Amino acid sequence: MRLVILDSYCDASTWAAKYVRNRILSFNPGPEKYFTLGLPTGSTPLGMYKKLIEFYKGGDLSFKYVKTFNMDEYVGLPRDHAESYHTYMWDNFFKHIDIIPENVNLLDGNADDLVAECDSFEDRIAAAGGIELFIGGIGPDGHIAFNEPGSSLVSKTRVKTLAQDTIEANARFFNGDISKVPTMALTVGVKTVMDAREVMIIITGAHKAFALYKAIEEGVSHMWTVSAFQQHPKTIFIADEDATLELRVKTVKYFKGLMHVHNKLVEPLESTQEKKKQKMN
Amino acid sequence: MPSNESVSQSRILQFHNCYLLFGHNLIKEDLWVREGKILNPRKLFWDEKGYADVKINCNGMILSPGLIDVQINGGLGYDFSSEHEKLEKGLSEIAKYLLTHGITSFCPTVISSEKLFYPKILPKIKKTKGGKEGAGILGIHAEGPFINVQKRGAHLADHIISAGFPGGFQDALDVYTKDGFENIVICTLAPELENASTVVKEMTQRNIRVSVGHSMANLSQAEEAVKHGATFITHLFNAMLPFHHRDPGIVGLLTSDQIPKGQQIYYGIIADGIHTNPAALRIAHRAHPKGLVLISDAIAAMGLPVGQHHLSDQLIEVCSVDDNPDVPYKATIAGTQTLCGSVGVLDACVRHFKEASGCSKVKL
Ligand SMILES: [Zn+2]
């Protein structure tokens, strides 16, 4: 397990985006070999998406041969509703880049048969050869996707009833009207994410500090579902200073001491542009 | 590799890095277009699984609908009202030229002409859809000959029919001819002429927009025309009685309380920086912003370079402003200071109007 600590949210977002860029570039995806990417929603990854869009616009990165799988979606919320995850992904990422719509996988919360939709999502992941890099954010209670405290750590994609806390917290997105907040969601399971070849969790802000502590300094617990990734062979946590407030000084010092190693991971690779130039020469 | 042709035979364009007017705001948003129609990009993406074939970088500019010029007399040396032999060539060259200035459709304007001339010109100016080969022709703006000789402006007195319509609508039909009528969409007439109200009504029923102008009408005569269906005022302030507080004349229509419910009065205004004083532009705009329609009223010299040109037996001089020696600004009869019409293209009028009126980009 790696923990990368950056000074600010902005730095953490940039670092995460560079890491994703490098992973895609070094994978060298093509028509016969797609890079499969798991994607989160929420406020945390916004900065990373912005950076990735910049890389695309600067010609350094293409998503033409990337397949994406999103973590979750509300049940019964119209697809184009301002709070749907379809809207989030469209507005904050997909419409800005060169991804091919066919390669985008997002759970349909309006499917007639929700169970079949979830099963087919797992099938689609399998058909794509599994997920190369799953990016996640977490809630203050340490939940990943809609795998709220108490969720099974071996769960797969399924229909979940949301915790009352989550429904109440979400009311602010629905003009404070709790009756309008969706009460169910489709979500990937903890196991779905565990099965990815690599997991990257972005945790920023003081309000997530306790969750980060639970995620890495305490044992694996289904009450803090994100802690499951301690047992993943390749997990990288990306945090800002604020999120480390509940960690031991020793832990922070140890991981900060490794930053010179970690920073090598985000050094510029041969960008798409440079490759193009080489081809032309 | 999924092919985009699976979702559409025709190319999908995505304009990006641009500003769009949406919900009374300018927002930075992309615009997707297929076969000339605006697409809902989300439906395209999620349902059709389609995406843009061509991405066009707008470099941070405003992407707006095309401009419409409802009063333009000619350009590039062509005059719609005189040279019927070269008319078609002139129309297509001007249509192309206008497109390069963001004008996507226009109403070629035919001013008062000899009676024998109408059957030669009007049928030749056909409505066209427009496309990349040039701006579309919405139909003719027939300005005169049923106007007031005392407010004739550049129209020749000999061509004007001051008697009005003693024979009613038939008189109009006699001049414009049946074939010609089919191409007319706007008709400027003076409402004080005999039987004008009947003719206004008949024309309105035939879907022709009647515009009042080149007229000595007082306010109540103008209101009478509006009650019979007139909806437009031709180049406000120009060729009409000046505003007077006891009888504001046609200008008074802007704030009239006699406009029938559900009807709106619009007015053309030349904002080339010369023909209407900026203060007058502001008065009109503040009194009735919703009715304002910018027009060029451009003459044959529009689009010609700065310098002297021979146009219909006259030597005219296209002048520039001092700080911009290459940009045509006004046209005078050579050797004099007499203005002979506008040479401002409509896009320049929009820019000038914004500056002169102090209105925002969003709201005129
Ligand atoms: Zn006129």
Side-chain angles (χ1 to χ4, degrees):
Chain A
M1 188 194 74
R2 284 194 277 232
L3 171 63
V4 180
I5 303 165
L6 284 309
D7 285 347
S8 64
Y9 169 78
C10 188
D11 291 345
S13 301
T14 306
W15 205 97
K18 283 181 176 173
Y19 188 78
V20 174
R21 175 196 66 190
N22 286 8
R23 283 285 276 116
I24 295 174
L25 290 178
S26 56
F27 187 87
N28 197 18
E32 305 301 323
K33 190 179 145 204
Y34 279 79
F35 188 88
T36 47
L37 186 63
L39 294 174
T41 52
S43 55
T44 311
L46 278 176
M48 176 195 70
Y49 285 134
K50 273 213 176 82
K51 271 283 164 200
L52 286 172
I53 293 164
E54 269 176 39
F55 295 152
Y56 160 70
K57 289 197 168 157
D60 289 323
L61 182 60
S62 167
F63 295 89
K64 209 165 173 184
Y65 300 113
V66 173
K67 285 187 185 179
T68 65
F69 291 86
N70 262 88
M71 291 193 134
D72 40 19
E73 177 59 289
Y74 290 112
V75 167
L77 198 61
R79 186 189 68 200
D80 293 343
H81 188 282
E83 294 304 327
S84 83
Y85 291 168
H86 279 78
T87 294
Y88 176 101
M89 290 309 297
W90 169 253
D91 278 342
N92 297 309
F93 197 39
F94 294 149
K95 81 170 174 193
H96 304 287
I97 58 170
D98 63 343
I99 190 125
I100 310 246
E102 261 177 38
N103 297 329
V104 168
N105 295 277
L106 218 152
L107 287 153
D108 178 5
N110 293 299
D112 293 335
D113 185 341
L114 294 172
V115 174
E117 170 67 11
C118 293
D119 293 347
S120 117
F121 197 72
E122 290 286 344
D123 293 344
R124 278 180 273 163
I125 292 174
I131 288 170
E132 196 57 36
L133 174 65
F134 218 127
I135 306 167
I138 59 165
D141 60 1
H143 74 257
I144 180 135
F146 277 117
N147 294 288
E148 299 188 293
S151 293
S152 158
L153 298 184
V154 291
S155 52
K156 293 283 223 169
T157 305
R158 67 212 184 289
V159 189
K160 279 286 278 181
T161 301
L162 304 184
Q164 190 59 29
D165 282 1
T166 308
I167 296 171
E168 279 166 23
N170 281 346
R172 68 197 152 110
F173 300 124
F174 296 85
N175 299 324
D177 184 350
I178 206 150
S179 70
K180 288 199 181 116
V181 185
T183 56
M184 289 201 299
L186 306 185
T187 177
V188 295
V190 179
K191 178 86 170 27
T192 316
V193 184
M194 279 295 277
D195 285 345
R197 284 183 277 287
E198 183 171 8
V199 179
M200 181 176 112
I201 310 282
I202 311 171
I203 308 183
T204 56
H207 62 301
K208 305 268 174 87
F210 196 67
L212 182 60
Y213 150 69
K214 284 282 184 185
I216 64 177
E217 285 187 350
E218 296 258 297
V220 173
S221 159
H222 68 298
M223 295 312 287
W224 298 85
T225 48
V226 67
S227 63
F229 300 106
Q230 290 174 21
Q231 294 194 322
H232 191 284
K234 214 175 169 197
T235 300
I236 183 162
F237 286 92
I238 299 171
D240 64 356
E241 280 285 348
D242 288 349
T244 65
L245 290 175
E246 299 283 347
L247 296 184
R248 285 171 210 181
V249 175
K250 191 173 143 188
T251 313
V252 174
K253 279 206 163 155
Y254 168 71
F255 283 110
K256 278 201 162 174
L258 290 170
M259 275 311 282
H260 65 284
V261 181
H262 291 153
N263 279 338
K264 289 214 170 69
L265 299 169
V266 293
E267 276 168 12
L269 289 178
E270 275 182 304
S271 69
T272 322
Q273 251 178 0
E274 282 158 353
K275 269 190 193 161
K276 265 187 223 151
K277 268 185 215 153
Q278 279 176 357
K279 264 185 201 160
M280 276 160 69
N281 288 341
Chain B
M1 198 32 225
S3 155
N4 211 33
E5 296 198 341
S6 61
V7 302
S8 167
Q9 290 297 318
S10 42
R11 291 189 318 166
I12 296 168
L13 311 180
Q14 179 184 359
F15 296 89
H16 65 103
N17 195 10
C18 54
Y19 289 87
L20 306 178
L21 184 62
F22 189 79
H24 300 288
N25 280 309
L26 275 179
I27 56 163
K28 192 154 195 191
E29 183 57 274
D30 296 2
L31 187 83
W32 280 257
V33 176
R34 175 167 58 200
E35 286 180 327
K37 285 197 180 123
I38 295 171
L39 283 182
N40 176 346
R42 298 183 189 212
K43 276 198 176 139
L44 173 71
F45 189 88
W46 300 118
D47 296 335
E48 289 187 55
K49 310 272 182 208
Y51 53 92
D53 299 282
V54 186
K55 291 191 183 200
I56 299 159
N57 189 337
C58 301
N59 296 313
M61 289 195 281
I62 298 171
L63 194 58
S64 90
L67 303 176
I68 301 170
D69 194 347
V70 296
Q71 188 158 8
I72 171 167
N73 307 289
L76 307 173
Y78 299 100
D79 178 8
F80 301 137
S81 307
S82 60
E83 297 145 292
H84 64 279
E85 298 91 0
K86 290 187 282 176
L87 191 61
E88 274 127 337
K89 191 163 175 276
L91 279 170
S92 78
E93 281 179 29
I94 291 168
K96 196 162 194 174
Y97 177 79
L98 290 178
L99 201 57
T100 63
H101 285 263
I103 296 131
T104 50
S105 50
F106 66 110
C107 296
T109 302
V110 176
I111 65 165
S112 303
S113 306
E114 242 179 289
K115 203 182 164 191
L116 284 172
F117 223 68
Y118 283 102
K120 289 185 194 159
I121 312 174
L122 300 191
K124 281 189 187 163
I125 307 180
K126 297 219 158 55
K127 293 175 191 172
T128 60
K129 269 196 103 171
K132 55 176 183 271
E133 66 289 343
I137 295 173
L138 295 173
I140 298 164
H141 179 166
E143 191 189 27
F146 301 98
I147 57 173
N148 196 314
V149 74
Q150 293 181 68
K151 286 289 174 193
R152 65 182 180 276
H155 296 229
L156 289 178
D158 286 352
H159 296 161
I160 290 163
I161 302 177
S162 312
F165 313 90
F169 181 66
Q170 189 58 42
D171 289 354
L173 205 55
D174 284 347
V175 169
Y176 298 130
T177 73
K178 197 169 162 291
D179 285 349
F181 236 119
E182 281 177 8
N183 294 336
I184 296 176
V185 287
I186 303 173
C187 181
T188 292
L189 53 78
E192 68 274 24
L193 300 185
E194 191 184 343
N195 273 340
S197 290
T198 333
V199 174
V200 170
K201 202 174 167 188
E202 290 267 356
M203 286 195 179
T204 304
Q205 279 167 358
R206 285 170 170 76
N207 238 347
I208 291 170
R209 308 280 183 279
V210 177
S211 186
V212 294
H214 285 278
S215 155
M216 297 280 285
N218 59 33
L219 179 57
S220 60
Q221 285 168 323
E223 286 169 342
E224 204 51 30
V226 171
K227 283 175 193 163
H228 283 84
T231 51
F232 199 53
I233 304 170
T234 300
H235 43 58
L236 188 77
F237 301 127
N238 289 282
M240 59 186 63
L241 288 175
F243 180 85
H244 187 281
H245 58 285
R246 273 193 295 276
D247 190 340
I250 290 176
V251 178
L253 284 178
L254 268 59
T255 51
S256 167
D257 57 2
Q258 297 297 307
I259 310 291
K261 240 193 153 141
Q263 204 173 316
Q264 158 97 294
I265 189 86
Y266 297 93
Y267 55 99
I269 200 158
I270 311 166
D272 64 346
I274 302 155
H275 283 81
T276 318
N277 184 285
L281 282 180
R282 287 191 285 272
I283 287 174
H285 175 237
R286 291 189 194 163
H288 187 33
K290 280 192 173 163
L292 192 141
V293 177
L294 293 176
I295 55 165
S296 71
D297 202 14
I299 58 159
M302 178 203 74
L304 294 182
V306 171
Q308 294 195 340
H309 304 278
H310 277 281
L311 291 175
S312 23
D313 308 328
Q314 249 180 353
L315 188 60
I316 70 139
E317 172 120 35
V318 175
C319 324
S320 65
V321 268
D322 296 341
D323 55 341
N324 227 339
D326 297 328
V327 179
Y329 176 63
K330 64 176 182 182
T332 57
I333 292 166
T336 74
Q337 285 303 310
T338 312
L339 290 170
C340 59
S342 160
V343 290
V345 188
L346 194 58
D347 60 332
C349 295
V350 173
R351 278 186 279 273
H352 178 259
F353 179 78
K354 185 181 172 288
E355 205 177 296
S357 69
C359 69
S360 73
K361 275 184 200 161
V362 170
K363 211 167 184 182
L364 283 182

